Amino acid sequence: MRKIRFVLALLPPVLAATIQFYFWGFISPLIWFLFYPAVFFSAWIGGLVTGLVSTCISIIFAFYFFIDPNFQTSAAGSKIFITMGTFLIMGILFSILLGRLRYLNAVLSQELQQRNISHTQEIQYQEKKFRALIDNSADIINLYNEDFKLIYLS
């Protein structure tokens, strides 16, 4: 299950790169346009590690396919590295926050399950005490439902 989740979490950057490659003529200056949501969904699906791996894969795709090699060495190319650094920081933050959310969700789910088991056992214990009290009572006890049909008679 973990391997499947890991592979699924790596699909959004590949899908983003593919879509961006085909529509590059329309979204040409926006290099990171589709990679932000891709990293977000990867971190959401897989957590911290897959979010970080997805961030790195997205940077490699963007650097290889969408950044002009001549532009990298020019003075204006420093802007590309600033946007890449911003993307890297945001990818790390997405990954940390969504990984933490995934972890806390698992912890709280386990805690809720434990509490449900505990409450069920407590209810069963209280029901046994109540039944013993009613069964051993000297008084006549009648229980009726909402249609006034007799449910219980001691």
Side-chain angles (χ1 to χ4, degrees):
M1 183 67 177
R2 284 184 127 180
K3 290 181 182 181
I4 293 172
R5 186 176 291 271
F6 186 79
V7 171
L8 283 175
L10 295 180
L11 286 178
V14 174
L15 185 63
T18 305
I19 293 170
Q20 188 162 320
F21 185 78
Y22 285 110
F23 292 105
W24 185 240
F26 298 109
I27 56 174
S28 179
L30 304 174
I31 296 169
W32 309 105
F33 177 65
L34 295 176
F35 289 112
Y36 275 104
V39 169
F40 182 85
F41 285 122
S42 291
W44 181 57
I45 292 169
L48 175 66
V49 174
T50 54
L52 294 174
V53 171
S54 175
T55 301
C56 293
I57 289 173
S58 297
I59 289 173
I60 291 169
F61 282 156
F63 200 75
Y64 185 74
F65 290 113
F66 304 111
I67 297 174
D68 184 18
N70 297 327
F71 194 65
Q72 294 172 9
T73 57
S74 69
S78 64
K79 290 181 184 177
I80 295 296
F81 291 106
I82 291 171
T83 60
M84 187 182 301
T86 304
F87 178 78
L88 179 64
I89 290 170
M90 290 304 297
I92 291 169
L93 288 176
F94 284 157
S95 301
I96 290 171
L97 292 175
L98 290 170
R100 184 76 176 148
L101 180 66
R102 173 175 290 288
Y103 170 75
L104 290 176
N105 192 19
V107 168
L108 289 175
S109 177
Q110 187 177 13
E111 174 83 18
L112 182 63
Q113 190 175 25
Q114 287 291 85
R115 285 187 182 191
N116 281 344
I117 291 170
S118 175
H119 286 295
T120 302
Q121 291 171 346
E122 179 66 25
I123 288 171
Q124 289 172 348
Y125 174 72
Q126 294 296 336
E127 184 178 345
K128 283 181 184 178
K129 279 182 23 180
F130 182 70
R131 284 207 181 271
L133 179 67
I134 295 224
D135 289 341
N136 294 318
S137 175
D139 295 329
I140 296 176
I141 299 173
N142 301 326
L143 292 175
Y144 295 93
N145 67 6
E146 58 273 353
D147 297 326
F148 298 106
K149 290 184 180 179
L150 184 64
I151 297 175
Y152 180 82
L153 176 65
S154 67

